[in-house]
Amino acid sequence: MSKKQFKAESKRLLDLMINSIYTNKEIFLREILSNASDAIDKLCYLSLTDDKVGLNRDDFRIDILVDKEARTITVRDNGIGMSLAEAESNLGVIARSGSYQFKGEMDKEQSEDLSIIGQFGVGFYSAFMVSDKVTVLTRKYGESEGAKWESSGADGYTVAPYEKESVGTDVIMHIKPDTEEEIFGSYLEKWKIKALVKKYSDYVRWPIRMDMERQERYETGEKDDEGKPKFDYRTVTENEIINSMVPIWQRGKNEVTDDDCIRWYKEKNRDRKDPCALIRVSVEGSISYKAMLFVPGEENENAFLGDNKGGVTLYSNGVMIMEKCDKLLHDYFEFVKGVVDSPDLSLNISREILQHDRQLQLIGKNLEKKIKGELEKMMKEDRPKYETFFRNFGTHLKAGCCDEYGRYKDFLRDLLIFYTSEDKQITLKEYVENMPESQKAIYYASADTLKHAISLPQCESVRSRGYELLYLTGPLDEVVLENLMEQDGKRFCNVVTDDLGFETEEEKKAAEERDIENKELLDFVKESLGGAVTAVRLSRKLAAMPCCLTTEGGITLEMERYFRRGPSEEMRKLRANRVLELNAEHRAVQALKEAFESGDKEKAANLAKILETLSEMMAGCEVEDPASFVSLVAELF
Ligand code: ADP
């Protein structure tokens, strides 16, 4: 029989695949099983209108037959089969198949980077990754004669008529001999095959059967010395269905309870804790899909077991396309786990293509709305639970507000909660709703801890007016507010750096006059501090405290602290412009003024240094030279 050549493009692909050091060879079984399942779909569909098919729904099956000695795995289906001409055109050429898409992508990339092969459904050809010869015996429904197609890889294939008893297809894979790098023989182990079916093809709709051996205890018929029956063990072979066929997410809410789903999640993710939210979606329409998503209760303790990353697994009609697809949901929801199954998604999909897949984008968008809705519901109905959720995953949402120049901020803002001076956590919307008529802005104080934020001297005047105050303690919080810009028309006001807007015009004028009056003193203090601060002012915010530190310019003390832990030297060097504010009414500042006016410059400079250090301490900065500070203070006694 003369050997026929593959079409040029198929040959190149086969070459690539066979010779690649391809790490994900195991998907070959998924591909062959999925073809078998498609072939059964077709015949089953036909049987609905054609009595002559003679098969009921329950008669369709896929069998996996393993012959260890001959080193073959056969995948047998009783589906539609192929005619000789079809065998030739379907298997001899890369046509509409995923392999074709793959080749297009390879050409576009202009590269021979083999690692990307693994991201594609490569169809029938993937059998050659583990086989040195593939034989296909097939007979099409309605035809009396079958065909035998055979190929040992890139050098070509043969195809000839073949007497086949029944309709359907056998794909016989002759498994490659073991090499030093790879034990191909492991694919002939039934436990391995079963594991691959469970991993990739558990939800193929048709039963996948395989003979499984197990040990059975039986009565031998003989009696022991005491006259009791003797037992022994024997190997029994049973034909088992090794896939579970209907995935849990395909079943309706009346069939599968939420508890069943949660049990499934915990088992799958080795998570001992219940998820804090479960979202079950079933959509029929221009795009149909089913989804079952979980918001974990906490970061999974079993992270080290390697399955802590969130991510949603994609299925198309029960066949797994991609584990932990990171293109479905945005990063701000990356903690969400679960599955999405849509017959509208192509099996042959790569991470690169996924990003631009319209179907997937639409599904993702809808699911994000559902997730948000579920979180809002939790926030409303069970605030403590939401607070726990937010403690674990709030950072993702905050980062999301800043991503891509704040593109997602309006979608996410209502999910953020902040601590307030009323000793609770609230959303910005709630804050604004609680605002009295007289309050013009949303006040916040930012520090590294809650305790510290509460003790900031600048907070006094806000609290004393009865206004609520947000305490920001997360490293990202200030940047988040900067991105949000406003809430329901109210601006954000940093109590440390911004004008609180409390002064009347007269008060403002009086304060300006006071600044001019004290100009000499303020200049002196600034100079004596030798560049530690960029400005010295009389405070308009302080009540009980003598002084405080504020900043001007884009960088606050909080940001400075954040930058100090930054990844680059340049970042770590960034400093806030410090402003020392003095409370003119306070005894300590009056003492400074007296020393200055009486000409005791040394004492005045020391007092200035003490006040500056005190304000640094209150702002949560470290005292650079505690010993000299202590001697300065001791001098006062
Ligand atoms: P794809 O499945 O992506 O179309 P494949 O390379 O896997 O690409 O298969 C090529 C074609 O060969 C299929 O589209 C189908 O027409 C045919 N085929 C493969 N396996 C079978 C089978 N078991 N029964 C019937 N037809 C098959």
Side-chain angles (χ1 to χ4, degrees):
M1 204 187 320
S2 72
K3 209 166 249 178
K4 302 191 184 186
Q5 294 299 309
F6 285 107
K7 293 272 157 57
E9 65 216 10
S10 318
K11 191 162 157 40
R12 177 162 169 266
L13 175 69
L14 265 177
D15 268 337
L16 277 174
M17 204 136 60
I18 296 164
N19 301 317
S20 70
I21 330 145
Y22 177 37
T23 51
N24 204 19
K25 291 193 168 70
E26 62 183 33
I27 59 116
F28 79 93
L29 191 60
R30 167 191 99 169
E31 298 295 322
I32 299 302
L33 287 170
S34 137
N35 282 346
S37 166
D38 290 348
I40 295 179
D41 282 347
K42 286 178 196 156
L43 190 55
C44 181
Y45 183 72
L46 216 63
S47 73
L48 300 177
T49 51
D50 181 349
D51 293 340
K52 288 199 286 298
V53 174
L55 291 170
N56 287 321
R57 232 195 124 77
D58 295 343
D59 300 328
F60 291 106
R61 58 190 275 174
I62 300 169
D63 287 280
I64 301 180
L65 310 156
V66 184
D67 185 337
K68 261 187 163 173
E69 251 142 64
R71 284 181 81 86
T72 58
I73 302 175
T74 301
V75 173
R76 168 175 296 162
D77 67 69
N78 55 353
I80 188 98
M82 284 175 275
S83 66
L84 192 138
E86 281 171 343
E88 173 146 25
S89 70
N90 290 340
L91 306 179
V93 106
I94 301 173
R96 316 150 298 280
S97 80
S99 322
Y100 188 70
Q101 214 174 28
F102 162 74
K103 195 195 151 277
E105 217 39 35
M106 283 294 276
D107 286 350
K108 215 164 59 202
E109 300 268 315
Q110 287 284 307
S111 87
E112 298 277 315
D113 176 10
L114 299 175
S115 66
I116 72 163
I117 296 182
Q119 298 159 357
F120 288 79
V122 279
F124 174 76
Y125 292 89
S126 60
F128 286 100
M129 294 190 294
V130 298
S131 321
D132 50 16
K133 186 164 87 178
V134 179
T135 310
V136 179
L137 307 176
T138 184
R139 193 179 124 202
K140 187 172 176 157
Y141 169 71
E143 299 203 355
S144 55
E145 199 178 48
K148 175 177 176 174
W149 181 99
E150 196 162 64
S151 167
S152 300
D155 62 339
Y157 62 91
T158 57
V159 58
Y162 178 82
E163 281 304 319
K164 191 174 181 293
E165 233 177 78
S166 55
V167 167
T169 304
D170 287 6
V171 177
I172 306 163
M173 291 165 275
H174 304 261
I175 301 300
K176 288 182 187 177
D178 296 346
T179 65
E180 263 178 36
E181 295 91 48
E182 184 123 28
I183 313 290
F184 289 101
S186 70
Y187 292 116
L188 292 157
E189 302 293 342
K190 288 192 173 168
W191 62 265
K192 170 101 180 184
I193 292 177
K194 193 171 173 179
L196 290 182
V197 170
K198 278 271 159 221
K199 180 166 177 190
Y200 293 104
S201 312
D202 200 25
Y203 309 118
V204 166
R205 291 173 302 290
W206 306 105
I208 301 173
R209 293 175 161 274
M210 185 164 65
D211 279 345
M212 296 300 289
E213 284 87 35
R214 63 175 176 84
Q215 295 297 306
E216 186 187 71
R217 193 166 176 259
Y218 73 104
E219 223 179 299
T220 60
E222 293 168 31
K223 302 253 168 10
D224 64 10
D225 297 344
E226 291 167 22
K228 287 190 187 135
K230 269 188 176 175
F231 287 93
D232 202 353
Y233 287 90
R234 62 182 167 200
T235 306
V236 286
T237 304
E238 262 169 26
N239 192 255
E240 259 182 44
I241 296 177
I242 51 178
N243 59 329
S244 40
M245 294 191 275
V246 185
I248 184 165
W249 60 86
Q250 291 280 13
R251 299 185 198 160
K253 290 193 181 175
N254 44 359
E255 263 182 280
V256 172
T257 65
D258 285 359
D259 281 347
D260 291 333
C261 298
I262 288 171
R263 215 171 303 118
W264 179 88
Y265 160 85
K266 285 160 86 172
E267 201 175 293
K268 199 87 183 160
N269 292 286
R270 306 190 196 184
D271 196 344
R272 279 191 286 132
K273 309 228 168 53
D274 279 354
C276 71
L278 161 64
I279 300 144
R280 297 170 78 178
V281 186
S282 174
V283 174
E284 302 279 336
S286 60
I287 308 175
S288 301
Y289 61 92
K290 296 216 160 56
M292 192 168 82
L293 303 178
F294 302 87
V295 177
E298 270 176 46
E299 297 278 1
N300 190 347
E301 280 172 9
N302 289 334
F304 60 90
L305 291 173
D307 204 15
N308 189 43
K309 257 203 87 188
V312 175
T313 305
L314 294 185
Y315 287 84
S316 172
N317 265 336
V319 177
M320 198 240 279
I321 313 176
M322 192 180 291
E323 247 179 325
K324 300 186 193 313
C325 170
D326 51 5
K327 297 287 180 287
L328 179 72
L329 303 175
H330 285 100
D331 286 353
Y332 46 76
F333 282 154
E334 72 176 356
F335 50 83
V336 174
K337 296 185 185 205
V339 292
V340 171
D341 192 337
S342 168
D344 299 324
L345 288 175
S346 154
L347 245 191
N348 306 310
I349 209 162
S350 77
R351 285 188 186 271
E352 287 72 19
I353 294 173
L354 269 184
Q355 200 151 20
H356 309 291
D357 192 273
R358 231 182 75 78
Q359 249 88 325
L360 196 75
Q361 279 176 1
L362 281 172
I363 297 176
K365 209 168 161 199
N366 283 340
L367 289 177
E368 289 200 352
K369 275 192 216 144
K370 297 259 182 215
I371 297 170
K372 182 181 168 187
E374 195 63 31
L375 291 174
E376 283 179 325
K377 193 169 131 218
M378 192 199 308
M379 187 194 287
K380 215 153 101 206
E381 292 172 3
D382 189 348
R383 194 51 82 90
K385 189 172 174 191
Y386 190 81
E387 285 169 8
T388 309
F389 155 76
F390 198 77
R391 195 171 57 237
N392 284 313
F393 301 110
T395 316
H396 292 267
L397 305 180
K398 288 179 188 171
C401 288
C402 309
D403 271 357
E404 295 189 41
Y405 307 101
R407 203 169 147 192
Y408 313 112
K409 64 180 181 191
D410 289 325
F411 180 71
L412 295 172
R413 65 166 74 225
D414 293 340
L415 294 176
L416 304 181
I417 49 174
F418 298 94
Y419 282 100
T420 83
S421 48
E422 305 288 306
D423 200 19
K424 58 184 184 201
Q425 293 185 65
I426 61 170
T427 65
L428 296 171
K429 202 178 192 65
E430 288 165 342
Y431 180 102
V432 173
E433 280 162 10
N434 295 343
M435 274 167 70
E437 191 78 16
S438 61
Q439 187 178 344
K440 296 287 172 277
I442 300 169
Y443 297 105
Y444 70 89
S446 146
D448 48 355
T449 62
L450 192 58
K451 200 166 155 209
H452 181 200
I454 294 171
S455 66
L456 281 173
Q458 290 94 332
C459 297
E460 288 174 3
S461 58
V462 179
R463 281 190 304 243
S464 66
R465 283 182 153 73
Y467 296 162
E468 202 168 1
L469 193 62
L470 298 179
Y471 295 131
L472 309 189
T473 53
L476 263 183
D477 289 0
E478 276 194 300
V479 188
V480 171
L481 292 197
E482 214 162 274
N483 270 283
L484 294 180
M485 292 196 294
E486 51 85 41
Q487 175 71 39
D488 298 322
K490 305 288 180 205
R491 71 184 172 95
F492 297 111
C493 177
N494 183 337
V495 296
V496 174
T497 53
D498 297 335
D499 178 1
L500 300 178
F502 293 162
E503 287 171 319
T504 61
E505 282 308 309
E506 277 133 49
E507 282 168 332
K508 261 191 198 156
K509 217 160 144 226
E512 275 158 24
E513 275 166 20
R514 218 175 37 183
D515 285 347
I516 297 167
E517 250 169 58
N518 289 287
K519 188 173 179 321
E520 254 177 81
L521 169 69
L522 298 177
D523 286 349
F524 167 80
V525 172
K526 181 177 173 222
E527 208 144 299
S528 70
L529 292 175
V533 295
T534 47
V536 181
R537 286 188 203 122
L538 292 183
S539 176
R540 301 171 184 193
K541 296 176 190 167
L542 293 174
M545 290 291 175
C547 55
C548 66
L549 200 63
T550 66
T551 56
E552 58 186 6
I555 307 177
T556 64
L557 288 171
E558 259 327 286
M559 290 180 191
E560 178 185 303
R561 263 191 283 268
Y562 181 60
F563 291 148
R564 275 186 205 244
R565 298 191 295 264
S568 71
E569 184 62 26
E570 210 177 318
M571 201 173 182
R572 288 192 290 273
K573 276 204 288 215
L574 289 173
R575 291 286 175 273
N577 289 330
R578 289 159 159 70
V579 177
L580 174 63
E581 291 200 4
L582 300 174
N583 178 357
E585 315 296 320
H586 199 282
R587 216 151 51 81
V589 177
Q590 279 163 6
L592 164 68
K593 196 171 172 186
E594 273 160 32
F596 175 71
E597 281 169 0
S598 69
D600 189 349
K601 297 277 157 69
E602 196 188 333
K603 185 174 177 198
N606 285 348
L607 290 176
K609 182 70 199 159
I610 291 172
L611 287 172
E612 192 260 338
T613 312
L614 289 175
S615 64
E616 290 255 356
M617 287 163 74
M618 280 190 291
C621 305
E622 260 177 46
V623 178
E624 261 172 39
D625 185 356
S628 22
F629 174 64
V630 171
S631 355
L632 277 179
V633 177
E635 278 300 302
L636 298 177
F637 294 97

